[in-house]
Structures are given as C-alpha cells and as structure tokens.
Amino acid sequence: MTRRLIFKSCLVAAALVALVWQAALSRVAVGYWIEHLGATHVPREVAPLIGPRIPRAALRRIGEAAVPRCIDGLSSADWRRRAGAADALRLYGAAATPAIPALIEAIRGPFDPRNQGVIRNLAMTTLLQNESGHPIARQLLTAELSEALPAETEPLVVTDLFSNEARWNDRARRIWAAYALAQLDPGNAEAMDVLATDLMYEDTPFRAIRREKRGPEAEHTTAFAKFGGRGYYYNREMDVQGAALEALMTLSFKAAWRTPVNPSTRLRLLTGLVERATDPMFSQSMREMDQRSNALAAIAKMGTSARAVAPMLAPLLRMPERPEFMDRVRATLKEICPQWDGTSCPPE
C-alpha cells in the first residue's frame, strides 16, 4: 500500500512538473522570460545568477508566438523588459519583422537615460540582423527625418535638471532616427544632414530669455531658476548637441562608417565637431573632456578630408594637465595630416 501511494505521489509530482514546464514555455510566460533576459544586461559583478542562457532557451522553445509579447515589451516602463524584448527578437529571424516599428521607437527613446544606451544598442543590433526588415525600416526612418519638428517658440522649463522627461525632445529623438538610418545605409545623405545640423543646433528661445533675465555676461549659463515660479529654464543645446555628438562618435567606430559625400554637409559636420572639440564653454570636468575626446575621435575617422582643421585643433595641445587628452589630440592630428610635424601641417 505504501509503495503504491509513493508511486502515485511520484506520478502526480511528475505531472505537476510537466504542467509547470509547459506553462513556463507558453506565450503567457514570455513577459517573465524577457524580463529575466533583460536583467542580465548589466555589469558582470551585479548580473543575476540565472544568466541569459535559460531565458533564451525558453524563448527559443516558445518560438514565433512570442513576437507579439516582445513587441509589447519594447514599450514597457520596465527597462529590463525593453532590453529583454530587443534581445529576444533576434531569435526569430524574419518572423520578427512586424517588430521593426517598435524597434525603431526603442532606438529613438525617450526612456530612462541611465539605461537607454543599453536598450538602443540591443535594438539596433536586432534591427541590423533582421535583413528582411531593412526595406520597411529605411522607409520608416526616412519618413521620420522628413517630418517637420514642432516650432520652439518658448524656452524649456524643467522641474528636475537630471531626469525631467521634457529634456528628451523630438529633436533628440530625430537624431537617433538618423543614427539608425546611417547604420542601415552608411553615409545616407539625409541622416548625415540631420546630424550635421543638430551638432550646431542653437536654442534660440533659451538664448533670448537668458539675455533678457541674466544679461550678456551670462552667455555660458546653461540653466537658471525661473523668476517668480517653480522650475528652471534649461538650454536644450546640451541634450541636442550631446546626442548628435554621441551618435556621430558611435557611427565613426563602425566598420561601415562613411564620411558624407555632399561637400556642404561634410563642411558643416566638420565645423560642428571642431566647435565641440574646442568649445571655450567646456570646463575640464570628466564629462566635458569626454565630449571633446568624442569629437576628436569622429574628426580622426574623417581622415585627410579633415586636413584643413589641423591648425584649429593645435591649440588643444596646450593642456599639459591632461596628458591623456593631448595624446588624443596628437593622434587625431596624425590621422588628418600624416605629415604633422608636431607644430604644423605642411601644405600638400
């Protein structure tokens, strides 16, 4: 009797395990698995013990039925679900093509800026791998770039300088659409034109209110308290120019990087990069020195077509307290002017 009871209990337990496993591999469980997969996209020392292998195996077993739930996950408020969904979609090949619009939105943002870079990279990698979806992606991205931006007639007022969603505006979102199109179609004229334009963007309403409220001596002020009200006037140039510079620097390190063919676009792009590298408004904080270095990296990737700006970069060598930065300046000068002799660039 006891043996029969034990045997029966084992059968029941096996059936329950089978039911649990079946439930784990059902489309209902997709959200659970993509969240756990997304949570693995953190530094190794804080990564969860489960690792990415088990969630990927489960999502692969669920199959194409998971695609709609992954599409929903790309717009989740939880960054882990967005990251996991972008990662999981590459498991399904051409069957994930309906996710192309959602992947584009994930690339453009805006979401929590602390994790947006991770999500953007995952979504971009997935988009590039889905070659069957490239035609629709090009069409959607080109349409995004051709849309007129809302007129900026008023200065931006934010209540939190560090996380206010209003900072992540339509212009910055358009930059990341241009970034995606330039990866799908290296050197794309429309994409490079947007990046060159926004690299030199000026926040006219902010400049006007700054001049009115603070006077001409406050030219370098990027935010200040709103008089008689709550919040801060915020200069959108920091986010727009910063996003354009980040996009260009990232693109310049891709194997498919192409310098703009159009001479006007190339000149504007180069002018904007030189301004970012030599901007007197920049302090020597780590963040702003990184921006200078990013601009120099992008200039270096333009090769000898950027030769004419060597004299404008040479004064940066007078920053002896930043030897690692001076090394970057010298390396850039050598890339754009192979004959650089340490002080000047001889004419060709």
Side-chain angles (χ1 to χ4, degrees), residues 148-210:
L149 293 170
E152 294 173 350
T153 57
E154 299 293 332
L156 176 63
V157 176
V158 300
T159 55
D160 180 348
L161 288 181
F162 300 101
S163 60
N164 195 299
E165 290 184 2
R167 288 177 47 187
W168 302 90
N169 55 43
D170 291 324
R171 189 177 293 274
R173 283 165 52 77
R174 187 180 70 163
I175 286 169
W176 292 111
Y179 161 83
L181 184 57
Q183 289 216 51
L184 286 171
D185 183 12
N188 180 277
E190 290 84 358
M192 300 310 292
D193 182 69
V194 165
L195 294 174
T197 298
D198 287 338
L199 192 62
M200 301 177 69
Y201 163 77
E202 293 185 358
D203 188 348
T204 304
F206 175 83
R207 291 186 175 212
I209 198 73
R210 179 178 62 190

Side-chain angles (χ1 to χ4, degrees), residues 284-286 289-290 293 296 319-331:
Q284 292 197 34
S285 68
M286 182 176 294
M289 293 304 292
D290 283 346
S293 294
L296 288 170
M319 300 177 72
E321 65 275 22
R322 293 281 184 173
E324 70 285 356
F325 178 72
M326 288 198 297
D327 289 342
R328 165 62 72 183
V329 177
R330 291 190 189 96

Side-chain angles (χ1 to χ4, degrees), residues 71-83 102-117 119-120 123 162-169 173 176:
I71 293 173
D72 292 341
L74 285 170
S75 60
S76 170
D78 188 329
W79 76 269
R80 296 170 300 177
R81 290 210 173 200
R82 296 199 306 278
L103 285 168
I104 289 173
E105 281 304 297
I107 292 166
R108 295 176 68 210
F111 292 104
D112 184 345
R114 292 170 296 181
N115 300 303
Q116 182 57 24
I119 294 157
R120 181 180 297 122
F162 300 101
S163 60
N164 195 299
E165 290 184 2
R167 288 177 47 187
W168 302 90
N169 55 43
R173 283 165 52 77
W176 292 111

